[in-house]
Amino acid sequence: MDVVAVFTAYHPDERLAAAVESALRSCSSVIVVDNTPRADSGAWPATAVDSRAPALAGERVKVVAHGRNVGLGAALNIAVCELPSAAEAVLFLDQDSELPPEIVPGLVADLADPDVGIAAPSPWDPKHQRYYCSEARRTETVSDEEAVITSGMLVRREVLEKVPFDEDMFLDWVDVAFCLAVRRAGWRILIDWRLRLPHEIGACEVHTRWGRTAHYSHYPAWRLYWIGRNVSILHRGHFASRPRALASSLVFLAERLTNTLLFEPRRRTHVPALLRGFRDGLRTRVDPRYLPAGAEHPAVRRRKG
């Protein structure tokens, strides 16, 4: 199976080059979509993808540097439009995801079943030496899942031609919305627990207060806004007919709110951002104050137009 790796970059560091080099050892080619916005002067910031770097300058690497931050969903759709005609599957990776050599052959084997649209490794937190998924979900081989995270998922080309990524959600929960749409279209989604992909989710730290211990990722306020907004969108558009999924996401939101109150030193700005996002999701609105600098969102562009 011809597999193309896709990276989305945003103010990348030296880890991107190492990640691209690791992907080239297992994939036929690599596409990098750079979401780092240009400065007003038109100059590239130092943290943009430099296609002159040795790891990014080869014939098997294509860099799409469009000079805007259009969000994760739009960047992934851009990458799909750039796929070579020979590509049969796409491996989506974060800019810091170095690929162990066994991942691609293992996931390709999982796609041998024509009913499987997405196969993914188990995400592993190397800093805290733990799986991101709960112990109760793990098996010795593979398991069917509602959704998997973007980094590491191998997706059939046919799936991508029928199911686009949601550009309105901008960043968080884009992978969940995509997976739910894939399942509705009739494909299975698997996690292969025999394959482990190191993955760091945000600035995650272990905190204990009042007898409660939690792994908490310290995000900026704008990121919490999108977490709250997109959970709300998932409730309204995807989970209304599935009580278990709805309950699971409400529990997630309650835990995020509780942990922000307990462990976030900037709670006076972060708690309102989370709650405002949830409210705006119910109203299908976007507050442009919670877009990162230089970012574009389709709803804001329509409003300006």
Side-chain angles (χ1 to χ4, degrees), residues 45-200:
T47 52
V49 172
D50 187 349
S51 59
R52 295 169 298 177
L56 302 171
E59 294 181 357
R60 295 166 58 202
V61 179
K62 181 171 187 177
V63 176
V64 181
H66 51 82
R68 300 171 295 147
N69 179 8
V70 293
L72 177 61
L76 294 173
N77 286 334
I78 289 170
V80 171
C81 292
E82 298 290 338
L83 290 175
S85 58
E88 298 173 87
V90 179
L91 182 70
F92 293 99
L93 294 164
D94 285 357
Q95 63 189 26
D96 59 350
S97 295
E98 285 197 48
L99 195 63
E102 70 274 11
I103 295 288
V104 172
L107 296 180
V108 167
D110 292 330
L111 287 190
D113 183 341
D115 292 333
V116 176
I118 301 175
S122 55
W124 171 257
D125 180 355
K127 180 179 178 181
H128 299 104
Q129 293 292 295
R130 68 183 185 100
Y131 289 97
Y132 285 104
C133 302
S134 68
E135 293 282 341
R137 287 172 51 190
R138 299 220 319 264
T139 71
E140 295 297 321
T141 53
V142 300
S143 62
D144 281 86
E145 300 291 327
E146 286 272 320
V148 294
I149 66 171
T150 308
S151 189
M153 69 179 181
L154 183 68
V155 187
R156 289 186 187 278
R157 175 75 172 266
E158 181 185 359
V159 171
L160 294 166
E161 289 173 347
K162 295 181 178 180
V163 182
F165 291 92
D166 189 332
E167 299 186 10
D168 174 72
M169 298 182 79
F170 191 75
L171 181 60
D172 287 282
W173 299 91
V174 170
D175 43 13
V176 175
F178 174 71
C179 288
L180 293 174
V182 169
R183 283 177 58 85
R184 284 200 304 273
W187 281 285
R188 294 169 59 203
I189 298 172
L190 300 181
I191 280 186
D192 193 324
W193 298 99
R194 298 163 297 189
L195 306 170
R196 197 163 70 178
L197 179 65
H199 182 70
E200 183 176 345

